[in-house]
Amino acid sequence: MLEQDENPQGSNPTQNPELTQLIEKHLSRRNLLGGALAATAAQFLFGRGAAAQELGTNGPRSGRSRRPRMGFTEVPASSADDFIVPPGYVAQVMVPWGTPLWSNATPFAEDASNSAADQELQVGFNHDGMHYFPLWRGPLGNRRGLLVINHEYTDANQIYSAAVGRTITNDAAGREKVAKALAGHGVSVIEIQRDANGNWSHVIDSPYNRRITGTTPMAFSGPVSPSHPMLQSAITPSPRGTLNNCAHGFTPWGTYLACEENWNGYFGTADSSWTATALEARYGVSRGGFGYNWHVAEPRFDVAVNRNELNHFGWVVEIDPFDPRSTPVKRTRLGRIKHEGATVTEARGRVVVYSGDDENGDYLYKFVGDRPWRMWRARGESPLDHGILYVAKFEENGTGTWIALEHGTGPFTVANGWADQADVLIRTRQAADAVGATRLHRPEWVSVDEHTKDVYVTLTNGSGNGAAVNSNRDPNPYGHIVRFREADHDNSSLSFEWDIFVIAGDPAYDPSVPASQPAFGSPDGVWVDPDGLVWIQTDISNSSQNLASRGYDRIANNQMLVADPFTGEVRRFLTGPRGCEITGVITTPDQRTMFVNVQHPGESTTFWNNQFGSPSPANPTAVSTWPYGNGRRPRPATVAIRKLDGGKIGS
Ligand code: FEO
Ligand code: CA
Ligand code: CA
Ligand code: CA
């Protein structure tokens, strides 16, 4: 089950325009195609960089005191099984998969023999989106806080012991395996603290520690409720669990947003008479799913038995990390898609939430609150329950608009078959199809520069993983980052301008990549830090890494880079171990510690074969023993990065 977030074909049946086609036309319109493509990329960068610089000094939110600075020495591309940071930095592994969070929890078993019940009290698998909530205001908040971590998915090659194997059977052993996988999913809330030497540790038995899993009771709010006919389920009349929590968000009122991305892959059926409805097909639901085979042991995940369970997923889940007894809430007003993340910013006192639907050919959304969020909070209501969901439509002249997915507007009438707003939200993808939204190459993270209010969106790659490297726009095998600016720098505006911020790839093979840019592929995580530096994390398929003829040899392991929007420079900051992706990024408020996640080190069927079967040399670069080496089991983990001189990360 490699790279479960990749579905090369996608499931979008429309002929809505695709952004890469618009980019080609956009370039032609600017008469830039006559020169080298590298020059066009540079002009995009520098052109927009100059604009950003202007904004920094004259714009409406000119709070930034100085230009950002990159002071670190670039690290080279790496295929080593190691986590490598620049000279002068130190990286400390924390809370790997299986770490006990309570003193009564069972220690992690190196042979993966921990039970489902053990896993319930341990850190989950495949760390992904993450936020740090300081426990105090002021300097103490830099030393003590809550780390909240998504656990995107589990890998059957890695979470089960040789004694039980990885096959899901229809018996008690199969149900135990499904239960362990469900317990490895979800979210961890972990109190952490930093000692006088700068070392971080987790606090065992902290009253804040919490595991939210695939079985935790869930509440719903907004127009869609569990009593809706399309959500009623005999097996789960009260919805349970959140799955495939990829990226995340956080709100100005101190809550965490976990997003449900590739939830469709957990469902399947052995019933050959089952066929997907148009709605189910649009969300990629199939008899086989992604090969988890949970439906073999658990009818909850059998779409022929418990069909409406599907509609319990695809939402943004709000979690209060400061109240471990609170029930997570699925905020249905934000739409039902494969939410990569949910990035919150403020506009005129209202919340704006950006979210990419990460599938090839799917769309970018934003929710705009209808009143100041403080007003809703004062009334005891959620600002996320009141507002309108929009989808992005890009134009080839570098502008774009947001189109409302609101019942009673546009095509969303009863006469057209849209019963009400709940219907529009349950069928968000089809609603967006109906208004001609622009298809994108897998929109992943979104980040907002809180000074300029510019918005950055990673489009991780198109369907072109098998394509020549010198055609980097369509089919776009290495991805790019789009930047857009909402009208009047107001993120609640309904029109914007857009451009390409960074084109990924290897400049040695691809003339559209600036010659000075380090080789990297498939940007996924993106975060604009308080100084305006743009941190970029990559998730290029490890199954493709050996393909030297396509330039993957120089890209090698996944990595994290920093782009300076003022100069256009991109510099590689760190490289991860073999087979992993680098994801999740946040600093303490003083920017002196950065937390980054290493997801799925060593992910490969080779891992299973080498451990328990016939060792295969097919994909040796995916073999990992990170973080502890010496032949030990690879484990997803968080890494705390500090500068030895105590300075800001990146400076
Ligand atoms: Fe889970 Fe779209 O990365
Ligand atoms: Ca991934
Ligand atoms: Ca991702
Ligand atoms: Ca990804």
Side-chain angles (χ1 to χ4, degrees), residues 3-5 152-153 524 539 581 599-600:
E3 288 304 306
Q4 288 148 342
D5 50 2
E152 189 182 28
Y153 65 95
D524 186 338
D539 177 21
E581 76 176 83
Q599 187 184 111
H600 59 72

Side-chain angles (χ1 to χ4, degrees), residues 3-6 128 152-153 244-247 261-262 338-341 356-359 442-445 460 524-525 539 581 583 599:
E3 288 304 306
Q4 288 148 342
D5 50 2
E6 289 190 9
D128 204 327
E152 189 182 28
Y153 65 95
N244 215 271
N245 302 107
C246 192
E261 191 194 22
N262 285 299
K338 297 191 186 183
H339 284 282
E340 172 76 18
D357 185 352
D358 180 8
E359 186 147 16
R442 299 189 52 206
E444 301 245 30
W445 287 44
T460 198
D524 186 338
D539 177 21
E581 76 176 83
T583 182
Q599 187 184 111

Side-chain angles (χ1 to χ4, degrees), residues 70-397:
M70 282 194 270
F72 62 90
T73 304
E74 177 166 285
V75 303
S78 167
S79 52
D81 190 29
D82 200 0
F83 187 95
I84 298 169
V85 290
Y89 283 79
V90 62
Q92 180 202 345
V93 173
M94 323 172 45
V95 294
W97 165 54
T99 301
L101 292 178
W102 293 272
S103 51
N104 65 343
T106 308
F108 177 74
E110 189 65 31
D111 64 357
S113 62
N114 284 124
S115 67
D118 295 344
Q119 177 68 78
E120 291 274 353
L121 302 179
Q122 299 171 340
V123 173
F125 200 79
N126 268 353
H127 305 36
D128 204 327
M130 167 174 61
H131 193 64
Y132 175 86
F133 294 86
L135 268 172
W136 285 296
R137 291 183 194 277
L140 280 177
N142 297 311
R143 303 212 317 242
R144 204 174 146 213
L146 303 181
L147 199 60
V148 186
I149 305 170
N150 282 348
H151 300 290
E152 189 182 28
Y153 65 95
T154 54
D155 188 325
N157 289 306
Q158 298 194 13
I159 67 164
Y160 302 124
S161 71
V164 301
R166 57 187 165 171
T167 306
I168 306 293
T169 45
N170 183 18
D171 54 18
R175 284 186 287 281
E176 163 68 14
K177 281 182 204 165
V178 175
K180 182 172 184 183
L182 284 164
H185 278 71
V187 176
S188 293
V189 180
I190 309 170
E191 183 179 342
I192 60 171
Q193 61 188 6
R194 199 190 72 198
D195 68 19
N197 297 321
N199 292 315
W200 288 88
S201 59
H202 62 285
V203 179
I204 299 274
D205 294 328
S206 162
Y208 296 106
N209 287 355
R210 184 178 189 187
R211 283 303 325 285
I212 291 161
T213 72
T215 56
T216 302
M218 294 281 146
F220 273 61
S221 78
V224 181
S225 84
S227 63
H228 189 283
M230 291 175 72
L231 272 71
Q232 288 175 19
S233 151
I235 293 177
T236 44
S238 298
R240 285 190 284 134
T242 183
L243 293 171
N244 215 271
N245 302 107
C246 192
H248 70 297
F250 56 93
T251 66
W253 52 93
T255 60
Y256 182 82
L257 303 176
C259 299
E260 298 180 332
E261 191 194 22
N262 285 299
W263 49 269
N264 59 312
Y266 298 98
F267 295 87
T269 186
D271 182 347
S272 60
S273 70
W274 182 89
T275 54
T277 63
L279 172 65
E280 290 159 352
R282 187 65 184 82
Y283 285 90
V285 180
S286 66
R287 259 179 239 151
F290 290 171
Y292 293 98
N293 287 323
W294 292 357
H295 62 273
V296 171
E298 285 290 357
R300 178 184 167 196
F301 296 99
D302 188 323
V303 287
V305 175
N306 194 37
R307 190 162 212 148
N308 286 350
E309 176 89 19
L310 289 167
N311 299 323
H312 294 189
F313 294 92
W315 307 106
V316 171
V317 186
E318 185 175 19
I319 295 166
D320 182 353
F322 297 98
D323 181 1
R325 287 179 303 279
S326 59
T327 303
V329 184
K330 300 203 175 185
R331 297 288 179 197
T332 65
R333 252 285 170 198
L334 303 182
R336 176 169 175 263
I337 56 175
K338 297 191 186 183
H339 284 282
E340 172 76 18
T343 302
V344 182
T345 192
E346 291 182 56
R348 295 187 288 129
R350 299 178 293 173
V351 283
V352 174
V353 187
Y354 293 97
S355 189
D357 185 352
D358 180 8
E359 186 147 16
N360 200 5
D362 264 291
Y363 309 130
L364 179 69
Y365 297 82
K366 84 170 176 184
F367 165 89
V368 180
D370 64 0
R371 302 271 186 87
W373 66 264
R374 284 187 172 83
M375 189 214 77
W376 289 119
R377 294 281 297 171
R379 288 193 191 179
E381 294 195 49
S382 172
L384 300 176
D385 289 344
H386 301 278
I388 293 180
L389 184 66
Y390 299 88
V391 68
K393 187 169 190 291
F394 294 73
E395 305 293 345
E396 68 181 63
N397 65 359

